[in-house]
Amino acid sequence: MRAVRIPRHGGPEVLELVSVPVPRPERGEVLVKVSAVALNNTDLWTREGAYGSAGDPGALSGWRGPIGFPRIQGADVAGHVAAVGDGVDAELVGARVLVDPAIYDSDGPDANPVGLMGSERDGGYAEYVTAPAERVHDVTASPLTDDQLASLPTAYGTALGMAERGCLRAGETAVVSGASGGVGLAAVQIARARGATVVAISSAGKLDAVRDAGADHVVDRAGDLPAQLRDAAPDGIDVGLDVVAGELVTQALPLLREGGRWVVAGALGGYEVAFDIRRLYLHNARLVGSAMHTPAQFEQLVETARRGDVAPVVSATFPLDRAADAQRALARRGHVGKIVLHP
Ligand SMILES: NC(=O)c1ccc[n+]([C@@H]2O[C@H](COP(=O)([O-])OP(=O)(O)OC[C@H]3O[C@@H](n4cnc5c(N)ncnc54)[C@H](OP(=O)(O)O)[C@@H]3O)[C@@H](O)[C@H]2O)c1
């Protein structure tokens, strides 16, 4: 089969199109024929080795440590089951499926994700990929296209995890950063669907698209952010759904209401954050870290996909052999929504 893999960390030029054997599903696994695989920022950071490590922020590393090279990238797969390994119901063959890319630390509905397809095991930049049967969900009945389905796992899973960990409720005011991106646009839609008032931070050329996706207020990140946020949320912010962090955390924490929650799932704006800790404890505020989703949250997402209650925006599609161009397009940040590869 054709696959695109990284033999080492580096720029887009390290992505290599290769011919490799179709993987054999092990016991308890299924083989999925990939019809669409969506890109995520983690594809760029994993390729670059941009995650650092606890003792060495500049270390070349994947998000959970060293990457086992060569690695086929791609977390977010929609496709059809082509074969099953021992111990898996053969009735699954032919089903249209969405794969939960997470590798969890334990069994059970609230397990923590500690690995990812395309990072700790081979992913979907390929014609076929294997996955544990319990991570493969039948979405044959979904009205969404395969491109839209592939847009869900990491972006919507992460956004849903953030909303859940931030206990976002109807009637509250949520601020979403990086709102035109994969996770950000998903967070706008999820917060809106929960009945929150959504204040979205984005860049000038994308504000209309973010508003169209459901934001009640849009804020230009090039302007005076604290002033704009105060205008948009005069009674304060209940929950931040933040993939940018950096200076934004410093600026936004004092704008939280009593008992507010600021949930961080990314660091596009900077890794080092300074803030006045008094603004946290004196107001019973919470700063919450959020990595992906739990199995229970992914089940929730799959149900949403089956009902078609979500409308992922696909910004562009590329053939597999243009994976490097697709990653360059993602890095340029001109997109609104998701970029998808077709193996
Ligand atoms: N914790 C997790 O489990 C998890 C899962 C997935 C992703 N992530 C992280 O979440 C972040 C977003 O991922 P994604 O896949 O949604 O990326 P994406 O599709 O590339 O979207 C990122 C958006 O953030 C904004 N942005 C970029 N650089 C910025 C900067 N320096 N300052 C402020 N805003 C900036 C841009 O939107 P505007 O032009 O609209 O501002 C950009 O479109 C990444 O850091 C990624 O690693 C974390």
Side-chain angles (χ1 to χ4, degrees):
M1 68 171 186
R2 295 179 326 133
V4 170
R5 65 186 190 188
I6 45 171
R8 60 185 178 282
H9 293 302
E13 70 285 349
V14 303
L15 288 162
E16 56 182 20
L17 180 67
V18 290
S19 181
V20 294
V22 173
R24 259 178 70 91
E26 306 268 325
R27 185 174 180 77
E29 290 186 339
V30 304
L31 179 71
V32 177
K33 184 168 181 8
V34 180
S35 44
V37 55
L39 271 62
N40 289 286
N41 189 71
T42 191
D43 300 11
L44 310 185
W45 280 30
T46 299
R47 167 174 49 70
E48 292 163 359
Y51 284 98
S53 64
D56 180 3
L60 285 183
S61 177
W63 75 293
R64 298 298 301 191
I67 298 292
F69 294 119
R71 176 61 76 224
I72 299 174
Q73 292 204 277
D76 289 351
V77 168
H80 290 84
V81 175
V84 297
D86 289 346
V88 180
D89 185 356
E91 290 273 299
L92 259 183
V93 174
R96 184 180 185 231
V97 291
L98 183 63
V99 181
D100 177 355
I103 300 165
Y104 295 101
D105 65 347
S106 58
D107 295 332
D110 302 320
N112 294 300
V114 291
L116 185 66
M117 252 168 59
S119 176
E120 281 63 46
R121 63 181 286 155
D122 278 338
Y125 282 22
E127 291 176 75
Y128 294 90
V129 66
T130 57
E134 68 270 23
R135 299 286 158 250
V136 171
H137 300 264
D138 191 330
V139 287
T140 306
S142 172
L144 301 184
T145 65
D146 287 355
D147 288 357
Q148 287 180 309
L149 287 170
S151 300
L152 291 175
T154 302
Y156 282 76
T158 300
L160 183 58
M162 294 168 83
E164 287 284 316
R165 293 182 184 105
C167 305
L168 178 61
R169 295 181 290 261
E172 292 191 319
T173 297
V175 165
V176 177
S177 67
S180 67
V183 178
L185 211 61
V188 167
Q189 293 182 348
I190 286 170
R192 182 65 192 265
R194 285 184 173 215
T197 299
V198 180
V199 180
I201 306 172
S202 185
S203 39
K206 307 179 192 167
L207 297 178
D208 287 342
V210 170
R211 196 183 282 108
D212 289 348
D216 297 281
H217 307 275
V218 286
V219 162
D220 183 348
R221 70 168 150 109
D224 178 342
L225 267 184
Q228 294 182 84
L229 290 175
R230 251 185 249 109
D231 278 353
D235 297 327
I237 300 163
D238 293 292
V239 178
L241 304 174
D242 182 16
V243 294
V244 170
E247 181 79 351
L248 177 60
V249 178
T250 314
Q251 294 173 329
L253 278 185
L255 304 179
L256 285 181
R257 297 178 69 162
E258 300 299 318
R261 290 83 70 198
W262 193 264
V263 186
V264 180
L268 291 166
Y271 316 141
E272 305 274 335
V273 174
F275 60 90
D276 183 342
I277 196 80
R278 294 171 295 183
R279 300 282 73 76
L280 199 72
Y281 75 80
L282 290 174
H283 303 280
N284 287 306
R286 279 185 276 155
L287 184 59
V288 181
S290 189
M292 297 179 64
H293 49 264
T294 64
Q297 289 160 2
F298 200 84
E299 279 287 351
Q300 229 177 298
L301 185 58
V302 169
E303 279 308 317
T304 311
R306 286 186 184 128
R307 291 193 305 267
D309 280 354
V310 69
V313 175
V314 177
S315 161
T317 60
F318 289 81
L320 182 66
D321 57 8
R322 291 191 57 213
D325 288 337
Q327 288 199 356
R328 287 187 188 99
L330 182 68
R332 277 196 298 276
R333 313 270 183 225
H335 61 285
V336 174
K338 298 295 290 181
I339 295 176
V340 174
L341 284 179
H342 290 157

